[in-house]
Amino acid sequence: RLARSAADRGVVVPRLINRYDQSIDDMGRLVLPSSHRERYADGAVLANRGDHIAIYEPGAWDAFVGQLSEKRAAGEISRMEFNLVLMNAADPKPDSAGRILIPGWMRAELELGREVLVTGAGDYLAIYPRDFVERLADGDRTAAFAKIDAMGL
């Protein structure tokens, strides 16, 4: 059975935008930004996306995996690539304080310390090392904004 999103349950949730300075406690738990806790009340799916951890709503994760399954069936990705995505995911349930456990192996792979940056990423929230934005080269940032401006959106 596919999970329902907060919006499907009639919950008004904020857009997945903005930046939040957050901390991971000694037990590996991240307090979700207060404005997004209701979105993940029924659970979350964490996925390693290379340079960050995605925090999906269960329904959004199911949709993503469905699209990925179609790519696998069409031969665009291999079974191994499909499995790598799934084996690098976890499904924590927030506690009453709005904290989710980020598995130790996931924190280690992304070299996350205690202080992290949680950002909106359109389809999900993303967890980056706290200094992620500062580490971006000015040229990369400028090029990204210029590319979007050139699209005329």
Side-chain angles (χ1 to χ4, degrees):
R1 184 177 146 228
L2 295 180
R4 294 179 0 156
S5 69
D8 291 341
R9 295 188 321 270
V11 174
V12 177
V13 291
R15 289 178 177 87
L16 290 164
I17 58 175
N18 214 336
R19 293 190 228 180
Y20 309 89
D21 290 328
Q22 300 293 107
S23 298
I24 297 174
D25 69 16
D26 292 337
M27 296 179 68
R29 299 173 300 189
L30 169 76
V31 177
L32 292 167
S34 60
S35 58
H36 292 284
R37 288 185 194 150
E38 185 63 33
R39 173 186 306 281
Y40 299 103
D42 290 339
V45 177
L46 304 177
N48 182 335
R49 298 299 300 257
D51 64 346
H52 66 278
I53 295 172
I55 311 172
Y56 286 95
E57 287 181 70
W61 172 257
D62 292 341
F64 170 70
V65 171
Q67 292 171 342
L68 207 58
S69 293
E70 291 172 8
K71 300 290 185 189
R72 184 175 49 84
E76 295 178 47
I77 63 171
S78 69
R79 168 55 95 173
M80 182 206 54
E81 291 164 329
F82 180 82
N83 288 350
L84 278 171
V85 171
L86 298 183
M87 75 174 66
N88 283 291
D91 57 349
K93 176 98 168 120
D95 64 15
S96 61
R99 298 175 298 198
I100 56 172
L101 178 65
I102 302 172
W105 58 266
M106 196 176 276
R107 292 190 317 269
E109 285 180 4
L110 275 92
E111 299 179 355
L112 292 179
R114 181 172 169 77
E115 303 301 316
V116 296
L117 177 67
V118 176
T119 71
D123 299 335
Y124 54 80
L125 288 178
I127 308 167
Y128 291 94
R130 175 67 62 89
D131 65 349
F132 174 77
V133 173
E134 290 78 24
R135 288 186 302 167
L136 290 174
D138 286 336
D140 291 340
R141 292 167 53 155
T142 301
F145 290 127
K147 184 175 184 177
I148 291 167
D149 287 346
M151 292 177 183
L153 302 176

